[in-house]
Amino acid sequence: MKNLFLLSLIIIALFGCEKDNEEERLMKTKLALSKDWQLHSVKITEPSQFRLNQTLDNCSKLKIWSFEDTGYFSFKEEEACNPHQYVHAGSWRIENGKFLKIVWKEINYGQPGGEMNLLIEEVSADSLKLKHEVILYDGDNKPFPGVQKYTFIRK
């Protein structure tokens, strides 16, 4: 009876620690993500026939993705790249400990926005790497599932 009680305590302690570690990891990820990020590169990595590094125009490079610790999200753009003063804003959260969900809309003119679900590959003090599943089309307009990778640097 005593051994059964000790075994129960050990099992509870192990699973309790695992949950604490997961919550701690989630809090660290949220804290590291809660900053301004500048898009550095976009790559299509799958399928292989579509593999390429996309060339970013100056406006794409100047667009800042801002994640506040309150869950507020916005795209910040230079005036030269945004003459109509569109404001794209919404919310962000981490789902299942590994996906970044962003929901936004255009605020000033009420245009519809969108939703993105991105796999968090890496978040550190200096870089953020995200994967996004996309549909790509070949020359015959045949659809293929693909993967696009975004790399950001801390602004």
Side-chain angles (χ1 to χ4, degrees), residues 123-136:
V123 60
S124 68
D126 301 323
S127 73
L128 171 63
K129 295 181 180 181
L130 304 171
K131 275 172 81 170
H132 182 57
E133 292 182 0
V134 295
I135 301 296
L136 304 167

Side-chain angles (χ1 to χ4, degrees), residues 50-77:
F50 292 101
R51 191 171 291 153
L52 65 96
N53 292 334
Q54 293 179 328
T55 303
L56 299 176
D57 62 21
N58 286 335
C59 287
S60 293
K61 290 178 184 176
L62 294 174
K63 186 181 286 187
I64 305 301
W65 295 39
S66 181
F67 300 92
E68 294 183 13
D69 59 4
T70 60
Y72 179 77
F73 169 79
S74 66
F75 291 119
K76 297 178 183 178
E77 297 179 273

Side-chain angles (χ1 to χ4, degrees), residues 2 13 22 26-27 29 40-41 80 84 96 100:
K2 198 178 201 182
E22 181 64 27
L26 182 60
M27 290 304 294
T29 301
H40 178 68
S41 69
H84 299 291
N96 299 324
L100 173 62

Side-chain angles (χ1 to χ4, degrees), residues 81-100:
C81 297
N82 186 9
H84 299 291
Q85 298 299 304
Y86 293 116
V87 177
H88 298 92
S91 63
W92 71 275
R93 68 176 179 264
I94 297 174
E95 294 185 338
N96 299 324
K98 60 183 177 181
F99 291 97
L100 173 62

Side-chain angles (χ1 to χ4, degrees), residues 6-23:
L6 285 173
L7 180 61
S8 297
L9 285 177
I10 291 170
I11 291 172
I12 290 170
L14 288 175
F15 285 108
C17 290
E18 186 176 309
K19 183 174 178 163
D20 290 344
N21 289 341
E22 181 64 27
E23 287 176 15

